[in-house]
Amino acid sequence: MIQFLAAFLVFMVFNFSLGTSPTGRGEVVSYSPVIDESWGAVHAFHTSLTEIQYNAKEKSLEISIRMFTDDLETALTKFNNGQKVMIGGKNDNSDAVLSKYIQQHFAIISPQKQKKPLNFIGKELEGDATWIYVEIPNSQDFKGYFLYNNLMQEMFDDQTNLVNFTYLGNKKTYLFNAKTKSAEIDL
């Protein structure tokens, strides 16, 4: 019940618009935070949204992760031993650090306790958020596999990470927080 309520809260916080994203990854086109930045307020919640789509033709997982840019820059700077990381603009120096950060904090783990290799594809800014795109090639059967997600939980005690996983027409939503960092994939 608590997971349902937390997932519901995440959905209520964002205003969803469905359609095709400009990159062809995922279905979510835009979000609007509940707190209007014109008020001068910073968002009062810490959340990420991940869309995992299985590509049967390529036998790969296409993964899109959406996080607030300011929170992500803070986490990446800490991860980078305090050296400032900027996302977007002419001073963008984030790709290498971002790739390492994602690989450390997000994974599909086999029954043999091995992480599936992630390929960092790139990122895209959208309003006050950043979309990160990764791919896991050679992915087919997930029986006994676990999904691990503790993105930005080292930064924020209230960090909630919502993952929508679509595999061969089946969709499952997973919720990760301070108490839950991994879950068995049961699609």
Side-chain angles (χ1 to χ4, degrees), residues 92-160:
D92 187 322
N93 63 343
S94 64
D95 283 359
V97 176
L98 183 55
S99 177
K100 288 178 188 173
Y101 181 81
I102 295 297
Q103 295 207 29
Q104 183 172 328
H105 293 278
F106 183 90
I108 305 283
I109 302 171
S110 74
Q112 295 78 27
K113 309 284 188 241
Q114 296 181 345
K115 288 183 177 181
K116 298 279 284 173
L118 292 171
N119 295 332
F120 178 76
I121 305 297
K123 66 182 179 310
E124 173 179 38
L125 290 172
E126 180 183 71
D128 60 351
T130 300
W131 281 100
I132 298 111
Y133 304 110
V134 296
E135 177 183 46
I136 300 178
N138 305 316
S139 298
Q140 294 180 51
D141 182 19
F142 298 102
K143 184 175 179 144
Y145 279 72
F146 280 80
L147 180 58
Y148 174 78
N149 184 339
N150 75 338
L151 292 166
M152 294 195 289
Q153 290 180 352
E154 77 282 7
M155 297 296 303
F156 308 108
D157 293 338
D158 64 339
Q159 179 71 31
T160 301

Side-chain angles (χ1 to χ4, degrees), residues 44-102:
F45 55 93
H46 301 101
T47 188
S48 75
L49 174 66
T50 301
E51 296 286 337
I52 302 175
Q53 299 279 334
Y54 178 68
N55 182 329
K57 182 179 178 185
E58 299 293 324
K59 294 183 175 34
S60 67
L61 293 177
E62 298 172 347
I63 303 168
S64 305
I65 304 167
R66 183 187 186 278
M67 293 184 270
F68 286 109
T69 303
D70 60 337
D71 291 344
L72 182 57
E73 286 177 335
T74 301
L76 293 177
T77 297
K78 180 179 180 182
F79 183 75
N80 198 32
N81 298 316
Q83 293 181 356
K84 182 72 175 158
V85 175
M86 302 292 295
I87 298 173
K90 64 180 182 176
N91 295 323
D92 187 322
N93 63 343
S94 64
D95 283 359
V97 176
L98 183 55
S99 177
K100 288 178 188 173
Y101 181 81
I102 295 297

Side-chain angles (χ1 to χ4, degrees), residues 1-11 46-50 147-150 153 158-165 172-184:
M1 182 65 173
I2 292 175
Q3 284 188 336
F4 172 77
L5 291 174
F8 180 74
L9 176 63
V10 170
F11 282 115
H46 301 101
T47 188
S48 75
L49 174 66
T50 301
L147 180 58
Y148 174 78
N149 184 339
N150 75 338
Q153 290 180 352
D158 64 339
Q159 179 71 31
T160 301
N161 299 317
L162 186 68
V163 178
N164 294 318
F165 196 133
K172 173 98 183 207
T173 299
Y174 299 89
L175 184 68
F176 301 93
N177 54 36
K179 293 181 181 177
T180 306
K181 302 199 184 317
S182 68
E184 187 170 2

